[in-house]
Amino acid sequence: MADGPPLARTTLDRAAHRRADPEWLASAWQQARVLVVDIAGGGRALVGAGAGRPALVLLAAPDVPAEATGRLFLGVEPDGTPVFAVDASLPVLPETRAVSLRDVGHLLDDSDAGLFTTAVALGNWHARHAYSSTTGLATAVIEAGWSRVDDGGTHVWPRTDPAMIVLVHDGKPGPEGLCLLGNNAAWRPRDGVRRFSCLAGYVEPGESAEAAVHREVTEEVGIGLDHLAYAGSQAWPFPGSLMLGFLARADPAQPVRVDPTEIAQARWFSRREITDVIAGTSVPADADLRVGLPPASSIALYLIHRWLNDD
């Protein structure tokens, strides 16, 4: 999965048939590697503090903090090792540092990327479902973390919110080919940078992902698309989305009319300009700010690179 979006990579066998086998799970826990994730602290985990590619710090079961909750069974690695996650404050260990998935997801190897993404997604779901939305009763964890149940027997299962994200471009090759990026109204400039990204939004009930792309682009920037192609997906567990990525073509002669409640600014950028931003060259966003791009762990930057390389 190395060529796909950064948080779409994994080597894990989720081994779902083991989730309802308490004897196997009890035995697996004794030989497991365990990822501690501080969900309340922003979904952080520990990585080694050394130079080079960061690697998750996984503990043996006896070393897990006593206050840890969850015992979420993530799956089995190719070497047969069971892997669990727990929610707890991060232990203080030498030569480690605390990081978020946003910080390092793109830097981790395929195994760690899959583990961290799954642990954060599942941990965030549990944090938001202490009570049943159907009965209002308190729920308890069952099936190794993959379900919750209330005292009346009503089950709830992890849910993911589908969202679309699209890189709109003019279809032209070369350094003067254009793409359309927007600055979300909720994003404030930071360190002299105004961040621009792909257009995105949730898929509404009764709507296809493709229909959501057309609707969101029209709503946010007021332009129509004349071609749409699916480009890949990845989890974005902040707290629980699945980002469905697309590339779409549009005529840049159309006037851009932003919805100010959603988009503060939208404009077309040339490949030359985007290449400069990635290289660290300052490209002005306006009189006082320079252009910034999405974080490297996002599918948004993956889509931008896909377009850049389709030259």
Side-chain angles (χ1 to χ4, degrees), residues 59-117:
L59 306 180
D63 299 327
V64 170
E67 74 274 15
T69 62
R71 284 200 188 183
L72 311 177
F73 173 58
L74 302 183
V76 178
E77 284 286 31
D79 65 0
T81 303
V83 185
F84 288 75
V86 295
D87 181 7
S89 297
L90 299 180
V92 177
L93 299 176
E95 299 185 5
T96 66
R97 59 189 176 97
V99 297
S100 74
L101 184 61
R102 293 177 191 261
D103 295 332
V104 301
H106 60 294
L107 300 174
L108 299 172
D109 67 17
D110 290 359
S111 174
D112 281 357
L115 292 177
F116 202 177
T117 303

Side-chain angles (χ1 to χ4, degrees), residues 27 30 40 91 94 140 161 168 254 301:
S27 175
Q30 301 305 316
D161 298 320
V168 179
Q254 298 177 83
L301 192 61

